[in-house]
Amino acid sequence: MNRPSMPLPALLAASAAALLAGCVNPPASPPAAPIACAALPAAMAAIAAMSGLRLAGAESVAADDKGHPAHCKVNGVLNERTGQDGKRYAIGFEMRLPADWNRRFLHQVNGGNDGVVQPAFGGLQVMASDALARGFAVISSDSGHSGSDPANAAAGLVGSNLFGLDPQARRDYGYSANGAVYPVAQALMLRHYGQAPQRNYMAGCSNGGRHAMVAASRYAERYDGILAGAPGFNLPQAAVQHAWDIQSWKMADADIRKAFSPADMKLVAAKVVQACDALDGLADGVVGDLSRCQATFKPQSLQCSGAKTDACLSENQVKALVKSFAGPRNSAGQALYSDWAWDSGLGGGGWRSWKLESQVPPWERNPIIATMGAGSLAYIFTTPPMTAAGNPAALVDFLSRFDFDRDAPRIYAKGGDFNESAMDFMTPPDAANPQLSAFAQRGGKMLVYHGSSDPVFSVKDSLRWAERLGSNLGARAAQVARVFPVPGMGHCVGGPATDQFDALGALVDWVEQGKAPQRIVASVNPANPELPADWSKTRSRALCPWPQVARYSGGDAESAASFACAAP
């Protein structure tokens, strides 16, 4: 089902089809005069006829009040086909090409199950200004399937997961849709501007962070800089954690929504802060020294000595927390994912919505892991696909019955038409033993940020990845990739955290000026509802590359200037 690979320069000479199958960056020399936005579909017609590309239209868009410049917006589809499940598939995409172009390209990769073409603005929640506003040309895709396909409507809450029944749709979601749309973006820039970009970037958070890390291994020759936020690079393993969590919470209450009240989890967060706050040299509500905190905080300190009160947790609640945070294991004691960090953001609304209780009535207020997560585990990440009914009770039941000896190995299984396991198509090929050899050889740079209170993907998994890369590359690792934990931050944004920072600007400076990020200054978002009341609305902090820690060095306690990145 994959198209044969052909060199991109062949397109520029004569064959348009090579553009869409090419695996190398285009030459810097312009192929022709620039072409106006409205004329792009006609100019790409020959390529479309030979390659399976269909441009649905191109329109000029005026500058807006959000900082976006006037630009050309192009929509299209690629690789239309009928899947093995009898349903229609295609890779949908949108590209925005600013009139005042900065000669940079950003490949925007999106979160969740994909399945929708998000506007190609190139934004991340931690950044005040997106890539389009800065003059980047940006492409975004749905990763090869529609999450709202009417053919799946009767399946209820698992409808957006049913693409997992088609092997190629799985592969597109994992990595190959990104491989297909990249040369389309290059063709559009060459046609519209008459020249290739000088630099190519990729950026995303959550599943988008996973896409980004996968690209650093699979498509290393294409990207100069990669920005990966909260990367779920072991996403099938993290999906196994969903079942582990549900079974853990049931130790505290048969109704997972009642296992811990909001006050219970705020108590947990407060106890963590009490134990760990000053480890970085300043008591400021921030767990700055995450590693020392894991050794310092004792979850047993939460347990009531007698009857349950508002100031403590029951024995079963403590057992449930300890089990969940230790991460999933099979009966032989083998770890199936990662353990989790005790941090200050565990009492936040975002953490609760993912792990314990959402505020979504059609989900019967079940958490995200028990709705979106269960369907993904069943249909996308196991081989052969498992089944689950698309109603809230059935999805909780599916996770409650998940067997860690019998079912968990299915994320590594393959067979029949499914010739790649979920771990094959979802994770970077070298995830367990990261080398980034090709990426390092071309001088690529990767910046990773991850909230220490992320409830979806464990920050510890990212930090272990960084440690393994450091073991493999030694001092050279810091010249290829740097990981920045964000104290208190939840999934991609939010939590009691300084969660606003210019990660893309730091990456561009590293790639183009050789200025490796020694620290990144982060500020609070005054509109963040999870900010503690006693925090200044102008607070800033230094984010440090792991394993360094931001230690208080004296001065204004609300300013990043008063903190230095130091060895742990």
Side-chain angles (χ1 to χ4, degrees):
M1 294 186 183
N2 290 330
R3 298 183 181 275
S5 178
M6 298 175 63
L8 181 62
L11 165 76
L12 304 178
S15 173
L19 179 73
L20 298 176
C23 292
V24 297
N25 286 328
S29 57
I35 295 173
C37 182
L40 275 174
M44 298 283 285
I47 297 174
M50 299 173 67
S51 65
L53 168 68
R54 177 167 60 86
L55 292 186
E59 62 175 313
S60 295
V61 180
D64 63 21
D65 59 0
K66 298 179 176 61
H68 299 133
H71 60 274
C72 175
K73 183 176 78 168
V74 181
N75 292 91
V77 295
L78 183 66
N79 297 355
E80 294 176 280
R81 62 184 179 84
T82 299
Q84 290 185 200
D85 57 358
K87 296 173 182 174
R88 294 293 298 166
Y89 289 96
I91 302 169
F93 67 88
E94 172 184 292
M95 187 161 193
R96 297 183 185 242
L97 302 127
D100 187 11
W101 187 36
N102 64 10
R103 294 290 305 277
R104 298 184 181 105
F105 163 62
L106 183 104
H107 190 155
Q108 171 185 319
V109 279
N110 302 306
N113 285 336
D114 286 300
V116 62
V117 179
Q118 299 288 353
F121 295 136
L124 291 166
Q125 291 170 292
V126 298
M127 301 188 317
S129 175
D130 60 42
L132 182 65
R134 305 181 197 207
F136 285 73
V138 184
I139 199 167
S140 169
S141 87
D142 61 9
S143 289
H145 63 275
S146 171
S148 57
D149 186 343
N152 298 328
L157 292 175
V158 300
S160 64
N161 307 119
L162 294 188
F163 73 89
L165 299 174
D166 180 70
Q168 180 61 41
R170 285 184 168 201
R171 185 178 299 112
D172 283 342
Y173 173 56
Y175 63 90
S176 62
N178 290 332
V181 300
Y182 173 89
V184 174
Q186 300 296 322
L188 287 167
M189 287 182 287
L190 285 165
R191 295 290 183 173
H192 185 51
Y193 298 120
Q195 56 188 324
Q198 292 177 332
R199 297 290 186 180
N200 293 295
Y201 294 88
M202 177 180 272
C205 195
S206 189
N207 180 50
R210 179 199 65 82
H211 279 303
M213 288 188 72
V214 168
S217 295
R218 287 191 178 272
Y219 303 116
E221 74 282 356
R222 294 182 169 182
Y223 301 99
D224 301 292
I226 288 178
L227 178 56
F233 62 96
N234 281 320
L235 207 158
Q237 292 181 343
V240 171
Q241 174 79 36
H242 300 335
W244 188 259
D245 281 338
I246 295 302
Q247 294 180 32
S248 298
W249 304 151
K250 283 181 173 291
M251 296 171 63
D253 197 293
D255 184 345
I256 59 172
R257 298 163 297 186
K258 298 178 181 178
F260 299 88
S261 69
D264 287 336
M265 291 311 301
K266 288 184 183 300
L267 172 67
V268 174
K271 288 287 189 178
V272 173
V273 170
Q274 181 181 4
C276 302
D277 190 355
L279 295 177
D280 59 2
L282 180 69
D284 57 353
V286 176
V287 178
D289 195 332
L290 188 67
S291 182
R292 288 180 65 195
C293 181
Q294 306 318 296
T296 301
F297 174 69
K298 307 299 181 185
Q300 289 72 23
S301 65
L302 296 163
Q303 187 170 321
C304 302
S305 57
K308 170 80 168 71
T309 72
D310 291 342
C312 58
L313 301 182
S314 72
E315 180 181 1
N316 285 342
Q317 285 180 311
V318 173
K319 287 181 178 179
L321 275 178
V322 169
K323 179 179 178 179
S324 168
F325 273 64
R329 293 181 179 270
N330 60 22
S331 61
Q334 296 170 319
L336 304 177
Y337 178 47
S338 172
D339 56 346
W340 298 72
W342 301 102
D343 190 48
S344 62
L346 305 182
W351 195 96
R352 184 173 190 82
S353 291
W354 276 97
K355 291 281 197 181
L356 289 165
E357 179 186 28
S358 75
Q359 298 302 312
V360 183
W363 296 356
E364 297 178 3
R365 297 188 2 262
N366 281 315
I368 300 172
I369 62 170
T371 48
M372 293 172 58
S376 295
L377 180 58
Y379 288 96
I380 306 170
F381 301 141
T382 54
T383 303
M386 302 173 74
T387 59
N391 64 78
L395 292 169
V396 171
D397 183 61
F398 170 80
L399 295 175
S400 300
R401 292 183 293 102
F402 189 86
D403 188 287
F404 299 96
D405 290 333
R406 180 194 64 224
D407 299 328
R410 294 189 185 202
I411 68 174
Y412 296 94
K414 61 185 76 174
D417 294 328
F418 296 91
N419 57 13
E420 289 179 290
S421 74
M423 291 297 287
D424 288 337
F425 66 76
M426 289 297 288
T427 67
D430 63 347
N433 185 34
Q435 305 280 345
L436 295 180
S437 302
F439 192 62
Q441 186 174 1
R442 82 179 307 275
K445 310 296 183 187
M446 179 158 60
L447 192 156
V448 179
Y449 64 90
H450 202 149
S452 296
S453 292
D454 191 330
V456 190
F457 304 121
S458 173
V459 69
K460 286 191 167 187
D461 203 28
S462 291
L463 300 181
R464 287 194 187 91
W465 177 89
E467 290 168 358
R468 290 193 295 268
L469 184 68
S471 295
N472 288 337
L473 300 186
R476 292 190 302 120
Q479 300 308 312
V480 180
R482 298 190 178 199
V483 178
F484 290 79
V486 185
M489 191 172 83
H491 188 53
C492 291
V493 74
T498 51
D499 66 344
Q500 302 292 288
F501 49 93
D502 187 8
L504 181 58
L507 178 63
V508 169
D509 286 347
W510 192 9
V511 168
E512 300 181 16
Q513 300 179 35
K515 298 166 72 172
Q518 306 299 327
R519 55 190 263 151
I520 297 175
V521 174
S523 302
V524 300
N525 177 357
N528 179 357
E530 295 185 355
L531 286 181
D534 59 347
W535 281 26
S536 166
K537 295 301 187 290
T538 62
R539 171 175 285 196
S540 63
R541 285 292 182 267
L543 305 181
C544 300
W546 184 262
Q548 294 184 29
V549 173
R551 297 202 182 283
Y552 181 62
S553 55
D556 183 358
E558 298 299 333
S559 173
S562 300
F563 292 79
C565 292

